[in-house]
Amino acid sequence: MNVKVIVRGKAKGAVLCAQKPVNFLGGIDKKTGLVRDEKHDLFGKFIGNKILVFPNGVGSSVGAYTIYSLKYNQSAPLAIVCLKADITTASGCAISDIPLVVAEKKDYESLKNGQEILVDAIEGKIL
Amino acid sequence: MELTKEEESALDGKHGETLALAYRILVAIGEATNADKLIPVEWAHLSGVNYNTIGDAGEEFLSHLSKDAKFRIKTTVNPMGFDSDNVSKFHLDEEFVTKQQSIRNSYVKMGATPSFSCIPYEIFELPKNGTQVSFAESNAAIYANSISALKTNKESAFSALASALTGKSPHSDLRDEENRKPNLTIRMKTEPADEITYGLLGYFAGKEAGSSVAISGTKGLDRRSCKSLCAGMGTSGSCGMFTLGEEEGEKIDFDYKEMARVKDELNTSESGDIITLGSPQLGLEEISDLVAKLKGRSFRKQCMIFCPRAIQGQIRNLGYDKELTRAGGEILYDCCTCLTPLVDKENIDAVVTNSVKGAYYLKTSNGVDVNLKSLHQIVEEETK
Protein backbone atom coordinates (compact mmCIF):
# COMPACT_ATOMS: atom_id res chain seq x y z
CA MET A 1 0.00 0.00 0.00
CA ASN A 2 1.06 3.61 -0.58
CA VAL A 3 1.42 5.89 2.43
CA LYS A 4 2.32 9.52 3.11
CA VAL A 5 5.78 9.96 4.62
CA ILE A 6 5.98 12.24 7.67
CA VAL A 7 9.32 11.11 9.12
CA ARG A 8 11.72 9.26 6.82
CA GLY A 9 13.25 5.85 7.56
CA LYS A 10 12.68 2.10 7.17
CA ALA A 11 11.61 -0.54 9.70
CA LYS A 12 10.40 -4.12 9.66
CA GLY A 13 8.40 -5.78 12.42
CA ALA A 14 5.11 -7.04 13.82
CA VAL A 15 2.02 -4.82 13.90
CA LEU A 16 0.45 -3.73 17.22
CA CYS A 17 -2.92 -2.01 16.63
CA ALA A 18 -4.58 0.43 19.05
CA GLN A 19 -8.25 1.24 18.57
CA LYS A 20 -8.16 4.44 20.65
CA PRO A 21 -6.03 7.57 20.22
CA VAL A 22 -2.83 7.62 22.30
CA ASN A 23 -2.00 10.21 24.99
CA PHE A 24 1.75 9.68 25.29
CA LEU A 25 2.29 11.74 28.45
CA GLY A 26 -0.47 10.32 30.62
CA GLY A 27 -0.92 7.01 28.87
CA ILE A 28 2.50 5.43 28.33
CA ASP A 29 5.31 4.82 30.82
CA LYS A 30 8.31 6.60 29.30
CA LYS A 31 10.83 4.16 30.82
CA THR A 32 9.18 0.77 30.36
CA GLY A 33 7.10 1.40 27.23
CA LEU A 34 4.06 -0.14 28.92
CA VAL A 35 0.60 1.35 28.36
CA ARG A 36 -0.56 2.51 31.79
CA ASP A 37 -3.90 4.15 30.94
CA GLU A 38 -6.44 1.68 32.35
CA LYS A 39 -9.11 2.93 29.96
CA HIS A 40 -6.99 2.29 26.85
CA ASP A 41 -7.48 -0.88 24.79
CA LEU A 42 -3.71 -1.57 24.90
CA PHE A 43 -3.55 -1.29 28.72
CA GLY A 44 -0.61 -3.32 30.05
CA LYS A 45 0.92 -3.94 26.58
CA PHE A 46 4.55 -3.16 25.63
CA ILE A 47 4.68 -0.82 22.61
CA GLY A 48 8.44 -1.22 22.04
CA ASN A 49 9.98 -3.08 19.08
CA LYS A 50 6.67 -3.18 17.23
CA ILE A 51 5.13 -1.28 14.34
CA LEU A 52 2.63 0.73 16.37
CA VAL A 53 -0.63 1.50 14.57
CA PHE A 54 -3.03 4.07 16.10
CA PRO A 55 -5.50 6.66 14.80
CA ASN A 56 -3.80 9.81 16.21
CA GLY A 57 -2.17 11.30 19.27
CA VAL A 58 -4.06 13.39 21.86
CA GLY A 59 -3.32 15.30 25.05
CA SER A 60 -0.29 17.07 26.43
CA SER A 61 2.25 18.77 24.22
CA VAL A 62 4.99 17.19 26.36
CA GLY A 63 4.03 13.81 24.92
CA ALA A 64 6.70 14.49 22.28
CA TYR A 65 9.32 14.11 25.03
CA THR A 66 7.70 10.81 26.03
CA ILE A 67 8.39 9.49 22.53
CA TYR A 68 12.01 10.70 22.78
CA SER A 69 12.34 9.08 26.24
CA LEU A 70 10.99 5.77 24.90
CA LYS A 71 13.72 5.79 22.26
CA TYR A 72 16.36 6.68 24.88
CA ASN A 73 15.14 3.82 27.10
CA GLN A 74 15.00 1.36 24.17
CA SER A 75 11.24 0.96 24.58
CA ALA A 76 10.17 2.82 21.43
CA PRO A 77 8.13 1.45 18.52
CA LEU A 78 10.17 0.56 15.40
CA ALA A 79 7.84 2.70 13.29
CA ILE A 80 4.41 4.31 13.62
CA VAL A 81 1.46 4.19 11.24
CA CYS A 82 -1.33 6.74 11.87
CA LEU A 83 -4.62 7.68 10.32
CA LYS A 84 -4.00 11.35 11.05
CA ALA A 85 -0.55 12.60 12.08
CA ASP A 86 -0.72 15.14 14.90
CA ILE A 87 1.99 17.65 15.80
CA THR A 88 3.01 15.87 19.02
CA THR A 89 3.56 12.49 17.37
CA ALA A 90 5.22 13.99 14.27
CA SER A 91 7.70 16.12 16.22
CA GLY A 92 8.44 13.34 18.73
CA CYS A 93 9.21 10.91 15.90
CA ALA A 94 11.27 13.49 13.99
CA ILE A 95 13.60 14.09 16.91
CA SER A 96 13.82 10.37 17.76
CA ASP A 97 14.34 9.06 14.19
CA ILE A 98 11.25 6.86 14.32
CA PRO A 99 9.75 6.42 10.81
CA LEU A 100 6.19 7.80 10.73
CA VAL A 101 3.65 7.40 7.92
CA VAL A 102 -0.02 8.20 7.40
CA ALA A 103 -2.21 5.57 5.71
CA GLU A 104 -5.53 5.92 3.86
CA LYS A 105 -8.51 4.72 5.94
CA LYS A 106 -9.09 1.53 3.92
CA ASP A 107 -5.40 0.55 4.03
CA TYR A 108 -5.14 1.50 7.68
CA GLU A 109 -8.05 -0.76 8.59
CA SER A 110 -6.51 -3.69 6.73
CA LEU A 111 -3.50 -3.82 9.12
CA LYS A 112 -3.86 -6.67 11.61
CA ASN A 113 -2.23 -7.41 14.96
CA GLY A 114 0.85 -9.63 14.67
CA GLN A 115 1.17 -9.13 10.90
CA GLU A 116 4.83 -8.74 9.77
CA ILE A 117 5.25 -5.61 7.63
CA LEU A 118 7.99 -3.44 6.18
CA VAL A 119 7.40 0.29 6.58
CA ASP A 120 9.37 2.04 3.84
CA ALA A 121 9.09 5.68 4.86
CA ILE A 122 11.45 6.74 2.07
CA GLU A 123 9.52 5.43 -0.93
CA GLY A 124 6.18 5.85 0.90
CA LYS A 125 5.11 2.20 0.91
CA ILE A 126 4.09 -0.54 3.33
CA LEU A 127 4.97 -4.05 2.16
CA MET B 1 5.81 21.90 1.80
CA GLU B 2 7.95 24.42 -0.12
CA LEU B 3 11.19 25.53 1.53
CA THR B 4 13.30 28.54 0.58
CA LYS B 5 16.93 27.94 -0.44
CA GLU B 6 18.06 29.19 2.95
CA GLU B 7 15.71 26.78 4.74
CA GLU B 8 16.83 23.87 2.53
CA SER B 9 20.47 24.47 3.36
CA ALA B 10 19.70 24.69 7.10
CA LEU B 11 17.82 21.38 6.83
CA ASP B 12 20.87 19.86 5.11
CA GLY B 13 23.05 20.83 8.07
CA LYS B 14 24.95 23.67 6.40
CA HIS B 15 24.22 25.98 9.36
CA GLY B 16 24.99 23.45 12.06
CA GLU B 17 23.49 20.46 13.82
CA THR B 18 21.02 22.43 15.95
CA LEU B 19 19.30 24.19 13.06
CA ALA B 20 19.22 20.96 11.04
CA LEU B 21 17.39 19.28 13.91
CA ALA B 22 14.97 22.21 14.27
CA TYR B 23 14.16 22.19 10.54
CA ARG B 24 13.71 18.40 10.58
CA ILE B 25 10.99 18.91 13.21
CA LEU B 26 9.37 21.77 11.24
CA VAL B 27 9.34 19.69 8.03
CA ALA B 28 7.76 16.70 9.82
CA ILE B 29 4.96 18.78 11.34
CA GLY B 30 4.58 20.66 8.07
CA GLU B 31 4.01 17.33 6.27
CA ALA B 32 1.72 16.09 9.06
CA THR B 33 -0.50 19.18 8.84
CA ASN B 34 -0.30 19.70 5.05
CA ALA B 35 1.43 23.07 5.31
CA ASP B 36 2.39 24.99 2.15
CA LYS B 37 5.35 26.93 3.61
CA LEU B 38 7.06 28.15 6.77
CA ILE B 39 6.04 31.53 8.18
CA PRO B 40 7.59 33.79 10.84
CA VAL B 41 6.34 33.60 14.44
CA GLU B 42 7.08 36.25 17.08
CA TRP B 43 6.87 34.37 20.37
CA ALA B 44 7.43 30.76 21.45
CA HIS B 45 6.07 29.36 24.70
CA LEU B 46 7.70 26.04 25.59
CA SER B 47 6.45 23.05 27.51
CA GLY B 48 8.81 20.28 28.63
CA VAL B 49 10.30 22.05 31.65
CA ASN B 50 9.27 19.81 34.55
CA TYR B 51 11.74 16.96 35.19
CA ASN B 52 8.74 14.73 35.99
CA THR B 53 7.55 15.03 32.39
CA ILE B 54 10.76 14.93 30.34
CA GLY B 55 12.94 12.66 32.50
CA ASP B 56 16.64 11.92 32.06
CA ALA B 57 16.31 11.73 28.29
CA GLY B 58 14.92 15.26 28.14
CA GLU B 59 17.39 16.66 30.67
CA GLU B 60 20.37 15.29 28.73
CA PHE B 61 18.94 16.41 25.40
CA LEU B 62 18.50 20.02 26.62
CA SER B 63 21.89 20.10 28.30
CA HIS B 64 23.53 19.01 25.03
CA LEU B 65 21.41 21.39 22.94
CA SER B 66 22.19 24.40 25.14
CA LYS B 67 25.93 24.08 24.47
CA ASP B 68 25.57 26.13 21.29
CA ALA B 69 21.86 26.77 20.64
CA LYS B 70 20.30 30.23 21.00
CA PHE B 71 16.63 31.19 20.77
CA ARG B 72 15.92 33.68 17.98
CA ILE B 73 12.58 35.05 19.23
CA LYS B 74 10.94 35.90 22.56
CA THR B 75 10.75 32.57 24.39
CA THR B 76 8.88 31.88 27.63
CA VAL B 77 8.64 28.60 29.54
CA ASN B 78 6.10 26.42 31.38
CA PRO B 79 6.20 25.66 35.13
CA MET B 80 8.86 23.40 36.56
CA GLY B 81 8.52 20.87 39.39
CA PHE B 82 8.91 23.06 42.49
CA ASP B 83 9.38 26.56 43.90
CA SER B 84 13.13 27.09 44.38
CA ASP B 85 12.53 29.32 47.43
CA ASN B 86 10.61 26.60 49.29
CA VAL B 87 12.18 23.45 47.94
CA SER B 88 13.93 22.52 51.20
CA LYS B 89 10.57 22.20 53.00
CA PHE B 90 9.33 19.37 50.81
CA HIS B 91 11.96 16.62 51.25
CA LEU B 92 12.26 16.11 47.52
CA ASP B 93 14.59 13.56 46.05
CA GLU B 94 18.03 15.15 45.62
CA GLU B 95 18.30 13.81 42.09
CA PHE B 96 15.02 15.50 41.16
CA VAL B 97 16.27 18.85 42.45
CA THR B 98 19.61 18.58 40.62
CA LYS B 99 18.07 17.47 37.32
CA GLN B 100 15.37 20.17 37.54
CA GLN B 101 18.01 22.87 38.10
CA SER B 102 19.93 21.56 35.09
CA ILE B 103 16.81 21.84 32.89
CA ARG B 104 16.19 25.36 34.19
CA ASN B 105 19.78 26.38 33.43
CA SER B 106 19.66 24.92 29.91
CA TYR B 107 16.57 26.93 28.97
CA VAL B 108 17.95 30.15 30.47
CA LYS B 109 21.31 29.62 28.73
CA MET B 110 19.51 29.35 25.38
CA GLY B 111 17.82 32.69 26.08
CA ALA B 112 14.43 31.83 27.57
CA THR B 113 12.73 34.23 29.98
CA PRO B 114 12.54 32.26 33.25
CA SER B 115 8.77 32.73 33.54
CA PHE B 116 7.88 29.16 34.65
CA SER B 117 4.22 29.84 34.04
CA CYS B 118 1.39 28.18 32.13
CA ILE B 119 -0.51 31.51 31.79
CA PRO B 120 1.79 33.58 29.53
CA TYR B 121 -1.37 35.26 28.13
CA GLU B 122 -2.04 36.78 31.56
CA ILE B 123 1.42 37.97 32.65
CA PHE B 124 3.06 39.27 29.46
CA GLU B 125 2.13 42.15 27.20
CA LEU B 126 0.33 40.71 24.17
CA PRO B 127 1.50 41.44 20.62
CA LYS B 128 -0.98 43.03 18.24
CA ASN B 129 -4.11 41.17 17.06
CA GLY B 130 -3.53 38.36 14.61
CA THR B 131 0.18 37.90 15.45
CA GLN B 132 1.49 34.38 14.81
CA VAL B 133 2.98 32.77 17.94
CA SER B 134 3.94 29.21 18.82
CA PHE B 135 2.47 28.03 22.13
CA ALA B 136 3.05 24.48 23.32
CA GLU B 137 1.16 24.59 26.63
CA SER B 138 -2.31 23.50 25.55
CA ASN B 139 -4.39 25.80 27.78
CA ALA B 140 -2.22 28.74 26.65
CA ALA B 141 -2.59 27.86 22.95
CA ILE B 142 -6.38 27.67 23.27
CA TYR B 143 -6.56 30.90 25.32
CA ALA B 144 -4.26 32.68 22.82
CA ASN B 145 -6.42 31.68 19.83
CA SER B 146 -9.81 32.14 21.46
CA ILE B 147 -9.39 35.18 23.75
CA SER B 148 -6.05 36.93 23.11
CA ALA B 149 -6.59 37.29 19.33
CA LEU B 150 -3.27 35.58 18.53
CA LYS B 151 -2.74 32.69 16.12
CA THR B 152 -1.07 29.41 17.02
CA ASN B 153 -1.49 25.73 16.43
CA LYS B 154 -1.69 23.49 19.47
CA GLU B 155 2.08 23.03 19.36
CA SER B 156 4.09 20.22 20.89
CA ALA B 157 7.09 20.72 23.18
CA PHE B 158 9.43 20.07 20.22
CA SER B 159 7.53 22.06 17.60
CA ALA B 160 7.54 25.16 19.83
CA LEU B 161 11.23 24.54 20.58
CA ALA B 162 11.90 24.39 16.83
CA SER B 163 10.03 27.72 16.47
CA ALA B 164 12.15 29.26 19.24
CA LEU B 165 15.34 28.15 17.45
CA THR B 166 14.30 29.29 13.96
CA GLY B 167 11.60 31.93 14.46
CA LYS B 168 9.34 29.91 12.12
CA SER B 169 6.44 27.48 12.03
CA PRO B 170 4.57 25.64 9.26
CA HIS B 171 1.63 27.57 7.79
CA SER B 172 -1.26 25.19 8.40
CA ASP B 173 -4.37 24.41 10.41
CA LEU B 174 -5.27 27.26 12.85
CA ARG B 175 -2.58 29.56 11.41
CA ASP B 176 -4.73 29.80 8.30
CA GLU B 177 -7.86 31.97 8.71
CA GLU B 178 -9.94 29.52 6.64
CA ASN B 179 -9.48 26.70 9.13
CA ARG B 180 -10.43 28.71 12.20
CA LYS B 181 -14.16 28.64 11.53
CA PRO B 182 -15.76 25.88 13.65
CA ASN B 183 -18.03 23.29 12.02
CA LEU B 184 -19.35 21.93 15.32
CA THR B 185 -21.36 23.81 17.95
CA ILE B 186 -21.65 22.56 21.51
CA ARG B 187 -24.78 23.90 23.16
CA MET B 188 -24.30 24.40 26.89
CA LYS B 189 -27.47 23.37 28.73
CA THR B 190 -26.19 23.34 32.30
CA GLU B 191 -26.26 25.66 35.34
CA PRO B 192 -24.77 26.94 37.58
CA ALA B 193 -21.92 27.96 35.39
CA ASP B 194 -18.93 27.77 37.73
CA GLU B 195 -15.35 26.84 36.81
CA ILE B 196 -16.01 23.13 37.35
CA THR B 197 -18.88 23.17 34.84
CA TYR B 198 -16.69 25.04 32.34
CA GLY B 199 -13.74 22.70 32.89
CA LEU B 200 -15.95 19.64 32.32
CA LEU B 201 -17.46 21.30 29.25
CA GLY B 202 -13.94 21.91 27.94
CA TYR B 203 -12.96 18.28 28.58
CA PHE B 204 -16.12 17.12 26.76
CA ALA B 205 -15.54 19.54 23.86
CA GLY B 206 -11.90 18.48 23.46
CA LYS B 207 -13.00 14.89 22.89
CA GLU B 208 -15.75 15.78 20.42
CA ALA B 209 -14.24 18.59 18.35
CA GLY B 210 -11.70 18.91 15.56
CA SER B 211 -9.33 21.90 15.48
CA SER B 212 -11.94 24.52 16.33
CA VAL B 213 -15.32 24.46 18.11
CA ALA B 214 -18.19 26.87 18.76
CA ILE B 215 -19.79 27.00 22.21
CA SER B 216 -23.24 28.49 22.71
CA GLY B 217 -25.37 29.12 25.79
CA THR B 218 -22.52 30.30 28.02
CA LYS B 219 -23.31 32.42 31.08
CA GLY B 220 -21.06 34.15 33.58
CA LEU B 221 -17.86 33.29 31.76
CA ASP B 222 -15.31 35.06 33.99
CA ARG B 223 -11.53 34.73 33.79
CA ARG B 224 -11.42 31.73 36.14
CA SER B 225 -14.07 29.81 34.18
CA CYS B 226 -12.47 30.75 30.90
CA LYS B 227 -9.06 29.41 31.99
CA SER B 228 -10.76 26.26 33.27
CA LEU B 229 -12.52 25.78 29.92
CA CYS B 230 -9.24 26.16 27.99
CA ALA B 231 -7.39 23.78 30.32
CA GLY B 232 -10.10 21.10 30.23
CA MET B 233 -10.25 21.30 26.45
CA GLY B 234 -6.48 21.03 26.08
CA THR B 235 -6.33 17.94 28.26
CA SER B 236 -8.69 15.62 26.44
CA GLY B 237 -8.15 16.19 22.75
CA SER B 238 -6.53 18.08 19.93
CA CYS B 239 -8.91 21.05 19.67
CA GLY B 240 -6.98 24.34 19.64
CA MET B 241 -9.61 27.08 19.83
CA PHE B 242 -13.23 27.97 20.53
CA THR B 243 -15.61 30.75 19.55
CA LEU B 244 -18.72 31.84 21.45
CA GLY B 245 -22.17 31.61 19.90
CA GLU B 246 -23.84 29.17 17.56
CA GLU B 247 -22.28 28.38 14.15
CA GLU B 248 -23.51 26.55 11.07
CA GLY B 249 -22.99 22.79 10.88
CA GLU B 250 -23.37 19.97 13.41
CA LYS B 251 -24.73 20.73 16.89
CA ILE B 252 -24.52 18.64 20.03
CA ASP B 253 -25.72 19.31 23.57
CA PHE B 254 -23.70 19.39 26.76
CA ASP B 255 -26.45 18.62 29.26
CA TYR B 256 -26.57 17.33 32.83
CA LYS B 257 -26.20 13.75 31.67
CA GLU B 258 -23.04 14.48 29.69
CA MET B 259 -21.68 16.61 32.52
CA ALA B 260 -22.25 13.81 35.05
CA ARG B 261 -20.52 11.32 32.75
CA VAL B 262 -17.38 13.49 32.47
CA LYS B 263 -17.42 14.29 36.19
CA ASP B 264 -17.65 10.59 37.10
CA GLU B 265 -14.54 9.97 35.05
CA LEU B 266 -12.49 12.67 36.80
CA ASN B 267 -13.99 12.99 40.30
CA THR B 268 -12.72 9.82 41.98
CA SER B 269 -13.09 10.71 45.68
CA GLU B 270 -15.67 12.30 48.00
CA SER B 271 -13.01 14.10 50.06
CA GLY B 272 -9.32 14.94 50.04
CA ASP B 273 -6.29 15.26 52.35
CA ILE B 274 -5.00 18.51 50.88
CA ILE B 275 -6.28 21.31 48.62
CA THR B 276 -4.50 22.54 45.49
CA LEU B 277 -5.51 25.70 43.61
CA GLY B 278 -3.99 26.42 40.26
CA SER B 279 -3.86 24.58 37.06
CA PRO B 280 -3.70 26.86 35.22
CA GLN B 281 -1.76 28.95 37.78
CA LEU B 282 -3.76 31.71 39.49
CA GLY B 283 -3.28 35.27 38.26
CA LEU B 284 -3.50 38.38 40.43
CA GLU B 285 -7.24 38.79 39.80
CA GLU B 286 -7.97 35.27 41.10
CA ILE B 287 -5.70 35.73 44.14
CA SER B 288 -7.50 38.97 44.97
CA ASP B 289 -10.86 37.20 44.59
CA LEU B 290 -9.72 34.32 46.82
CA VAL B 291 -8.68 36.74 49.58
CA ALA B 292 -12.05 38.48 49.34
CA LYS B 293 -13.92 35.17 49.49
CA LEU B 294 -12.01 33.98 52.57
CA LYS B 295 -13.22 36.95 54.68
CA GLY B 296 -10.87 36.01 57.50
CA ARG B 297 -11.64 32.29 57.48
CA SER B 298 -8.88 29.63 57.53
CA PHE B 299 -8.31 26.44 55.56
CA ARG B 300 -9.04 23.22 57.46
CA LYS B 301 -6.19 21.42 55.69
CA GLN B 302 -2.98 22.13 53.81
CA CYS B 303 -3.73 24.33 50.79
CA MET B 304 -1.20 24.89 47.98
CA ILE B 305 -1.82 27.94 45.80
CA PHE B 306 0.19 27.94 42.54
CA CYS B 307 1.14 31.27 40.92
CA PRO B 308 3.58 32.67 38.39
CA ARG B 309 6.71 34.37 39.82
CA ALA B 310 5.81 37.46 37.74
CA ILE B 311 3.08 38.48 40.20
CA GLN B 312 5.05 37.77 43.41
CA GLY B 313 5.83 41.46 44.00
CA GLN B 314 2.23 42.54 43.56
CA ILE B 315 0.98 39.73 45.81
CA ARG B 316 3.35 40.97 48.53
CA ASN B 317 2.69 44.67 48.04
CA LEU B 318 -1.06 44.18 48.22
CA GLY B 319 -0.68 42.14 51.42
CA TYR B 320 -2.28 39.04 49.88
CA ASP B 321 0.63 36.78 50.86
CA LYS B 322 0.19 37.70 54.56
CA GLU B 323 -3.55 37.12 54.39
CA LEU B 324 -3.24 33.76 52.61
CA THR B 325 -0.49 32.61 54.98
CA ARG B 326 -2.68 33.60 57.93
CA ALA B 327 -5.45 31.45 56.45
CA GLY B 328 -3.06 28.49 56.36
CA GLY B 329 -2.50 28.67 52.60
CA GLU B 330 0.88 28.33 50.97
CA ILE B 331 1.74 30.31 47.84
CA LEU B 332 4.11 28.43 45.56
CA TYR B 333 5.76 30.09 42.54
CA ASP B 334 7.26 28.57 39.37
CA CYS B 335 5.26 25.32 39.63
CA CYS B 336 1.72 24.02 39.26
CA THR B 337 -0.69 21.27 40.37
CA CYS B 338 0.02 19.29 37.23
CA LEU B 339 2.84 16.81 37.63
CA THR B 340 4.47 18.45 40.62
CA PRO B 341 6.36 15.99 42.85
CA LEU B 342 5.03 18.04 45.80
CA VAL B 343 1.88 15.89 45.64
CA ASP B 344 3.26 12.48 46.57
CA LYS B 345 1.05 9.39 46.74
CA GLU B 346 3.23 8.01 49.57
CA ASN B 347 1.57 10.43 51.99
CA ILE B 348 -1.50 11.73 50.13
CA ASP B 349 -4.46 9.59 49.04
CA ALA B 350 -6.71 12.25 47.56
CA VAL B 351 -6.61 15.94 46.60
CA VAL B 352 -9.40 18.55 46.62
CA THR B 353 -9.05 20.87 43.60
CA ASN B 354 -11.13 23.08 41.33
CA SER B 355 -9.00 22.13 38.33
CA VAL B 356 -10.40 19.65 35.82
CA LYS B 357 -7.02 19.52 34.08
CA GLY B 358 -5.33 18.98 37.44
CA ALA B 359 -7.77 16.14 38.17
CA TYR B 360 -6.71 14.28 35.03
CA TYR B 361 -2.96 14.54 35.70
CA LEU B 362 -3.19 14.01 39.47
CA LYS B 363 -4.87 10.70 38.74
CA THR B 364 -2.90 9.48 35.72
CA SER B 365 0.56 10.80 36.62
CA ASN B 366 0.71 11.35 40.41
CA GLY B 367 -1.54 8.36 41.08
CA VAL B 368 -3.78 10.10 43.66
CA ASP B 369 -7.57 10.38 43.74
CA VAL B 370 -9.36 13.68 43.22
CA ASN B 371 -12.34 15.48 44.72
CA LEU B 372 -13.48 18.19 42.30
CA LYS B 373 -15.04 21.25 43.97
CA SER B 374 -15.49 24.84 42.80
CA LEU B 375 -13.58 27.55 44.63
CA HIS B 376 -16.88 28.72 46.11
CA GLN B 377 -17.51 25.22 47.50
CA ILE B 378 -13.93 24.91 48.76
CA VAL B 379 -14.31 28.15 50.74
CA GLU B 380 -17.73 27.01 52.05
CA GLU B 381 -16.73 23.47 53.01
CA GLU B 382 -12.98 23.40 53.55
CA THR B 383 -12.48 26.54 55.67
CA LYS B 384 -13.56 27.55 59.16
Side-chain angles (χ1 to χ4, degrees):
Chain A
M1 68 179 78
N2 291 323
V3 290
K4 182 177 180 185
V5 175
I6 307 298
V7 177
R8 288 160 65 88
K10 266 190 191 181
K12 200 176 165 182
V15 165
L16 177 66
C17 289
Q19 302 302 318
K20 289 189 176 179
V22 173
N23 182 340
F24 280 97
L25 180 65
I28 315 247
D29 186 297
K30 64 180 179 286
K31 281 194 180 147
T32 63
L34 296 172
V35 177
R36 65 177 182 197
D37 178 355
E38 291 171 23
K39 294 189 186 89
H40 199 274
D41 53 288
L42 290 187
F43 176 61
K45 292 255 172 39
F46 176 58
I47 62 159
N49 301 322
K50 306 263 175 37
I51 310 288
L52 186 63
V53 177
F54 63 90
N56 60 288
V58 289
S60 171
S61 63
V62 196
Y65 270 100
T66 308
I67 298 174
Y68 182 72
S69 293
L70 288 168
K71 182 79 172 189
Y72 174 93
N73 293 310
Q74 289 158 357
S75 303
L78 300 166
I80 294 179
V81 182
C82 282
L83 200 50
K84 181 181 179 291
D86 59 282
I87 290 177
T88 296
T89 307
S91 61
C93 286
I95 218 161
S96 317
D97 281 322
I98 298 171
L100 171 65
V101 297
V102 173
E104 294 284 340
K105 194 160 198 290
K106 201 174 101 240
D107 294 332
Y108 175 89
E109 283 168 356
S110 73
L111 295 167
K112 297 280 175 283
N113 264 330
Q115 188 185 349
E116 289 282 332
I117 58 170
L118 170 72
V119 177
D120 182 346
I122 292 167
E123 296 294 323
K125 287 184 188 319
I126 289 181
L127 303 166
Chain B
M1 185 170 69
E2 294 275 328
L3 295 181
T4 64
K5 279 198 180 132
E6 179 74 10
E7 290 162 355
E8 283 282 0
S9 66
L11 178 66
D12 292 341
K14 290 181 183 129
H15 305 301
E17 195 190 320
T18 300
L19 279 182
L21 179 73
Y23 276 100
R24 232 170 39 233
I25 296 168
L26 294 178
V27 167
I29 57 174
E31 291 301 326
T33 57
N34 299 313
D36 53 349
K37 60 182 175 184
L38 294 172
I39 55 166
V41 295
E42 289 189 13
W43 177 5
H45 180 79
L46 309 184
S47 63
V49 182
N50 186 337
Y51 174 63
N52 251 353
T53 61
I54 68 170
D56 293 336
E59 186 268 329
E60 283 177 32
F61 167 78
L62 290 169
S63 171
H64 177 75
L65 188 71
S66 69
K67 283 186 184 138
D68 59 7
K70 286 279 173 283
F71 295 145
R72 293 193 170 189
I73 52 174
K74 172 179 172 176
T75 301
T76 54
V77 287
N78 242 9
M80 52 182 206
F82 52 77
D83 178 342
S84 308
D85 296 346
N86 289 301
V87 65
S88 57
K89 280 197 294 192
F90 285 94
H91 312 290
L92 287 180
D93 186 43
E94 202 172 304
E95 193 192 356
F96 190 105
V97 177
T98 313
K99 294 276 172 69
Q100 182 64 81
Q101 296 294 11
S102 157
I103 295 166
R104 177 197 174 101
N105 294 343
S106 295
Y107 279 122
V108 171
K109 195 171 164 203
M110 288 188 277
T113 302
S115 52
F116 304 108
S117 173
C118 48
I119 54 166
Y121 49 80
E122 207 174 334
I123 59 171
F124 291 103
E125 196 181 328
L126 297 175
K128 69 176 195 300
N129 285 358
T131 300
Q132 298 274 356
V133 299
S134 195
F135 281 13
E137 162 58 35
S138 58
N139 100 78
I142 297 169
Y143 198 103
N145 275 323
S146 315
I147 312 295
S148 311
L150 304 176
K151 284 183 181 167
T152 179
N153 279 329
K154 195 178 171 230
E155 301 295 342
S156 82
F158 288 138
S159 71
L161 181 68
S163 289
L165 292 167
T166 59
K168 292 176 186 179
S169 180
H171 181 246
S172 59
D173 208 5
L174 295 175
R175 298 194 181 283
D176 187 345
E177 197 57 46
E178 280 181 22
N179 300 325
R180 293 170 69 88
K181 195 173 164 57
N183 51 16
L184 170 73
T185 301
I186 295 182
R187 294 187 290 211
M188 189 174 179
K189 303 273 185 186
T190 54
E191 288 178 53
D194 58 22
E195 75 273 24
I196 299 288
T197 312
Y198 277 107
L200 296 171
L201 168 70
Y203 194 85
F204 172 80
K207 281 192 177 180
E208 298 293 329
S211 299
S212 175
V213 64
I215 297 172
S216 68
T218 54
K219 287 181 209 85
L221 188 61
D222 60 5
R223 171 96 80 166
R224 178 165 43 240
S225 290
C226 197
K227 286 164 75 175
S228 183
L229 171 62
C230 293
M233 190 180 284
T235 304
S236 63
S238 47
C239 185
M241 76 174 277
F242 66 85
T243 60
L244 293 177
E246 205 157 298
E247 286 285 338
E248 286 167 20
E250 196 190 344
K251 289 165 188 66
I252 52 174
D253 289 347
F254 178 74
D255 54 20
Y256 290 103
K257 208 173 88 191
E258 292 296 351
M259 185 165 79
R261 195 175 299 162
V262 184
K263 194 171 179 188
D264 280 349
E265 185 183 330
L266 297 165
N267 182 65
T268 56
S269 176
E270 291 312 307
S271 62
D273 311 320
I274 66 162
I275 305 162
T276 72
L277 299 176
S279 177
Q281 290 171 329
L282 275 63
L284 193 63
E285 194 181 314
E286 288 168 90
I287 290 290
S288 155
D289 179 53
L290 173 62
V291 167
K293 276 193 163 65
L294 278 171
K295 291 192 195 111
R297 294 164 70 91
S298 299
F299 292 104
R300 290 175 194 272
K301 50 189 74 156
Q302 185 188 356
C303 177
M304 298 181 186
I305 303 157
F306 295 99
C307 294
R309 176 81 57 189
I311 62 168
Q312 184 181 33
Q314 294 172 80
I315 286 181
R316 283 185 181 163
N317 292 339
L318 288 160
Y320 295 155
D321 62 333
K322 272 198 190 120
E323 174 55 13
L324 291 173
T325 307
R326 180 212 56 76
E330 183 170 28
I331 304 177
L332 295 163
Y333 299 99
D334 300 334
C335 49
C336 188
T337 293
C338 288
L339 295 136
T340 177
L342 307 181
V343 177
D344 184 353
K345 67 177 176 194
E346 294 303 312
N347 38 42
I348 294 165
D349 292 328
V351 174
V352 178
T353 184
N354 65 343
S355 167
V356 165
K357 175 181 182 172
Y360 177 86
Y361 287 108
L362 283 166
K363 181 69 182 168
T364 56
S365 294
N366 296 58
V368 299
D369 282 311
V370 177
N371 182 206
L372 273 175
K373 275 183 188 173
S374 68
L375 185 65
H376 177 76
Q377 254 183 308
I378 290 174
V379 172
E380 289 279 305
E381 298 167 19
E382 307 281 352
T383 63
K384 57 188 174 191

